[in-house]
Amino acid sequence: MLFSEPAFLFLFLPVLLWTHWLIPRRLSNLLLAVVSLGFYAWGEKEYVVIMAASILLNYVAGRGVASSRAQTVRRVWLVVAVVGNLSILAFFKYADFIARNLNLLLDKLGAGTFEPMDIHLPIGISFFTFQSMSYVIDTYRRRTVVQTNPVNLALYVSLFPQLIAGPIVRYETIARQITHRVLSSALFESGVKRFIVGLAKKMIIANALAFPADQIFQLPADQRTMPIAWLGILCYTLQIYFDFSGYSDMAIGLGRMFGFRFRENFRYPYIARSVTEFWRRWHISLSSWFRDYLYIPLGGSRGSRWQTYRNLMLVFLLCGLWHGANWAFVAWGLYHGLFLVIERMGFSRLIQRCWIPLQHLYAMLVVMIGWVFFRVATGPLDRANPLEFGLGYCKSLFGWQVAPESIRSVEEYLSAYLGFVLLAGIVGSTEMARSSRIAAMRWTRGRRYWRALVRAVSQFLYFLVLCYCILLIGSDSHNPFIYFQF
């Protein structure tokens, strides 16, 4: 069930909100846990058993880590949890990928091959697996207190706002909220507004940009001119940001409606001046997870330069694989890791001496080229070799794969509405809107009449945006969230 579906907006959410506000507080966690598991089962049916098994595994392992005095026993429980979680993830996400690549090798050697298993990938398995692992690891490190109530742990793992596509919520950040959260009208109102912002990002901007991006990426090389290629990657660059940050906004907003405060997952990544800064702003919950649970345990930047470079490349190799079992994802991860290494080698100091717009241009150029491989990995493009197709698209971007006989022009994809959406996307991906809002709040401070007027106008605009989004939903402009497949 999508957050942008009528069944969610007009049935599931209103009924759950009313029930949650009316029942005794002591039953709210049980209600949310049961409903969240039901929410997952709505789309995944029997695969909810996998989530239940994950909850049971991490509950038992967490209790084992916390109750054991001997360090050796605590480590055994930790290993059980980590191996168990990674085994579940590896089987459903990477078994077919490994089998396909082994078949290629065995075929060249003239040996027998494996039958494809066509394993279904449960939605959101990467997210709830990483959340569960962080809980047991933090319990082992004594950064958080073990959860003895299985219902509360089930709620943490399965909480429906962030269950399917993140953000990855650390247990230590919401442990107290699970047992002692406070509901207030102000928090609820801010949650509704944040949800509307996320819905608008998805329905108004991301969905509008998805259509031309899909069309252009489907074009064969002999029809993809340089301007068309740049329009396609520009559309996709804005689409993936507003699609994913829109989902995160909706998750944060829904969390607030039920008394939870999730941390931010995006901080305007497209205003970054380097690739390093981009990763401090993009998908913060994932990048910080890899930093705290992989990069730092590997030694981080405490060893020699070459050890640091090795750690960065390994982390981003795994970051690429986390996104999907596809060589194009691996290439995307290694590509970003390579630029982080280059910046660590001293290139960042050179960039910092440049004119600030050139710094932004450098960061965006690197990120946009990387998105080419991310896009061909997510598909569907029906390409036998996604890496080859991605390289061909990059050649089109720089005029190295010219399409002189193409009968297509960039005007075929541009329209007045698309131009408006592109402009809104570019402005919305900067801090201009946030700065204007802060300036308005400062200006109205001490001016009660103007403050009330600005508040009324703001709420009316939120209402209009919500109405427009509902119209778009009614027009069947369906487009699933990109990160649902991870």
Side-chain angles (χ1 to χ4, degrees), residues 238-364:
L238 293 172
Q239 178 203 352
I240 191 171
Y241 170 66
F242 283 95
D243 188 283
F244 191 22
S245 70
Y247 184 93
S248 292
D249 286 340
M250 294 165 81
I252 291 170
L254 287 169
R256 291 179 184 177
M257 293 182 203
F258 294 95
F260 292 95
R261 297 177 184 268
F262 301 148
R263 291 183 176 179
E264 296 295 332
N265 206 25
F266 291 88
R267 288 200 304 265
Y268 302 100
Y270 291 162
I271 68 171
R273 301 182 189 179
S274 66
V275 180
T276 301
E277 184 185 356
F278 171 80
W279 278 101
R280 290 172 183 157
R281 294 173 175 273
W282 176 273
H283 202 346
I284 299 167
S285 63
L286 178 65
S287 57
S288 63
W289 196 100
F290 274 110
R291 179 197 65 207
D292 295 342
Y293 299 108
L294 184 59
Y295 180 68
I296 292 177
L298 284 172
S301 56
R302 298 190 301 274
S304 67
R305 288 185 304 165
W306 296 107
Q307 287 174 327
T308 300
Y309 304 155
R310 177 206 63 191
N311 295 341
L312 285 170
M313 293 301 294
L314 179 59
V315 165
F316 275 86
L317 165 66
L318 295 175
C319 180
L321 277 173
W322 179 89
H323 281 86
N326 188 306
W327 287 114
F329 279 130
V330 173
W332 174 79
L334 291 175
Y335 169 84
H336 276 274
L338 178 62
F339 273 94
L340 288 174
V341 169
I342 292 172
E343 291 181 3
R344 281 290 186 113
M345 295 175 73
F347 188 65
S348 61
R349 291 193 294 273
L350 177 62
I351 290 294
Q352 288 169 6
R353 297 192 188 103
C354 294
W355 187 36
I356 289 178
L358 287 179
Q359 297 178 36
H360 290 301
L361 180 62
Y362 152 73
M364 283 307 304

Side-chain angles (χ1 to χ4, degrees), residues 40 58 77 81 120-121 123-124 132 217 226 335 477 479 484:
Y40 190 77
N58 291 284
W77 279 114
H120 171 75
L121 179 64
I123 293 175
S132 301
F217 269 87
M226 185 175 173
Y335 169 84
S477 56
N479 199 332
F484 270 16

Side-chain angles (χ1 to χ4, degrees), residues 74-207:
R74 297 180 77 248
R75 286 177 182 168
V76 168
W77 279 114
L78 176 65
V79 170
V80 167
V82 172
V83 171
N85 281 293
L86 291 180
S87 296
I88 294 172
L89 184 61
F91 176 77
F92 285 98
K93 196 162 188 174
Y94 304 108
D96 277 338
F97 176 69
I98 294 171
R100 286 196 305 270
N101 285 278
L102 278 176
N103 283 344
L104 291 175
L105 178 61
L106 292 172
D107 185 57
K108 289 182 179 179
L109 296 174
T113 58
F114 297 100
E115 288 293 329
M117 292 180 283
D118 295 324
I119 299 171
H120 171 75
L121 179 64
I123 293 175
I125 189 170
S126 299
F127 289 97
F128 70 73
T129 300
F130 270 31
Q131 281 199 185
S132 301
M133 286 174 60
S134 69
Y135 161 71
V136 180
I137 294 171
D138 285 348
T139 303
Y140 174 81
R141 293 173 175 176
R142 294 190 170 92
R143 293 186 56 178
T144 188
V145 178
V146 68
Q147 177 55 255
T148 59
N149 187 327
V151 172
N152 290 348
L153 186 65
L155 174 61
Y156 161 68
V157 175
S158 67
L159 188 58
F160 79 91
Q162 45 76 52
L163 169 61
I164 297 176
I168 300 171
V169 177
R170 305 280 187 90
Y171 179 76
E172 62 176 328
T173 64
I174 65 166
R176 182 166 179 79
Q177 298 175 43
I178 289 176
T179 54
H180 296 92
R181 62 185 178 277
V182 177
L183 301 175
S184 69
S185 58
L187 184 63
F188 182 86
E189 180 183 343
S190 71
V192 171
K193 290 180 178 179
R194 189 66 177 268
F195 181 86
I196 293 173
V197 168
L199 185 64
K201 283 182 175 182
K202 171 62 178 172
M203 298 305 303
I204 299 176
I205 299 181
N207 281 8

